[in-house]
Amino acid sequence: MMLLPDYLRHQRHAREMPDGVIALVTSRSEVLALRFSHLTLTRTLDGWQTDKPLLISPTELAQRWLGLKGTQVNDATLQSLRPQLTAPRTLELLRSPDQEPIRITYYQQPQFWLMQNEQGQWLAVSVDSRYLFPLTKS
């Protein structure tokens, strides 16, 4: 019991993000659907559902996207990357009908994903494309 305050303090710090790491989505609990150009994930009373076959559960995929974190990209680096940013894609995070959707623009680069979060910050996110798009071939 005497060590409990130290244990709780350690647990709280373990959940905090390291310096420079930023969440892609901060309003996770408000998101009712994730709409990509080729896939939609929708939150239901039974969990997340999808309109395409996946290699993992729709709930797992929604959690992956909503839990993404990255390192903020400074303006100089962003300007140097601009010539390579030729194929933008958009993810819409739908919330309640009276709220505007959150639009996240993202680009796939050879070594990382460049994503703009809901606050307009550009983040470098290092994950494999199969982690974000585990679609079946059918």
Side-chain angles (χ1 to χ4, degrees), residues 36-85:
F36 301 89
S37 62
H38 63 289
L39 168 75
T40 299
L41 296 166
T42 306
R43 183 183 290 185
T44 67
L45 294 176
D46 298 325
W48 289 87
Q49 304 296 319
T50 185
D51 60 346
K52 297 279 193 280
L54 300 173
L55 296 173
I56 62 172
S57 76
T59 299
E60 172 67 21
L61 184 56
Q63 289 172 346
R64 286 180 182 185
W65 273 94
L66 294 174
L68 283 177
K69 298 171 183 67
T71 305
Q72 187 167 5
V73 175
N74 63 34
D75 288 335
T77 303
L78 185 59
Q79 292 308 317
S80 70
L81 290 171
R82 287 261 183 231
Q84 303 167 39
L85 305 179

Side-chain angles (χ1 to χ4, degrees), residues 2-128:
M2 292 174 47
L3 297 176
L4 188 58
D6 289 334
Y7 174 77
L8 293 175
R9 190 172 22 259
H10 178 268
Q11 291 302 309
R12 185 177 63 244
H13 291 301
R15 288 190 300 266
E16 293 174 2
M17 289 187 277
D19 287 342
V21 176
I22 299 170
L24 181 66
V25 180
T26 56
S27 54
R28 295 170 58 152
S29 63
E30 298 176 15
V31 177
L32 302 176
L34 290 86
R35 187 182 310 153
F36 301 89
S37 62
H38 63 289
L39 168 75
T40 299
L41 296 166
T42 306
R43 183 183 290 185
T44 67
L45 294 176
D46 298 325
W48 289 87
Q49 304 296 319
T50 185
D51 60 346
K52 297 279 193 280
L54 300 173
L55 296 173
I56 62 172
S57 76
T59 299
E60 172 67 21
L61 184 56
Q63 289 172 346
R64 286 180 182 185
W65 273 94
L66 294 174
L68 283 177
K69 298 171 183 67
T71 305
Q72 187 167 5
V73 175
N74 63 34
D75 288 335
T77 303
L78 185 59
Q79 292 308 317
S80 70
L81 290 171
R82 287 261 183 231
Q84 303 167 39
L85 305 179
T86 58
R89 292 188 253 174
T90 302
L91 163 61
E92 280 192 335
L93 305 174
L94 305 176
R95 302 179 288 172
S96 66
D98 60 330
Q99 292 181 300
E100 280 292 314
I102 298 168
R103 289 178 182 83
I104 294 176
T105 301
Y106 62 97
Y107 297 89
Q108 185 174 9
Q109 298 294 290
Q111 302 297 322
F112 62 92
W113 294 83
L114 184 64
M115 300 183 176
Q116 189 176 36
N117 69 7
E118 58 189 305
Q119 287 81 28
Q121 300 164 306
W122 286 98
L123 308 177
V125 179
S126 298
V127 294
D128 189 275

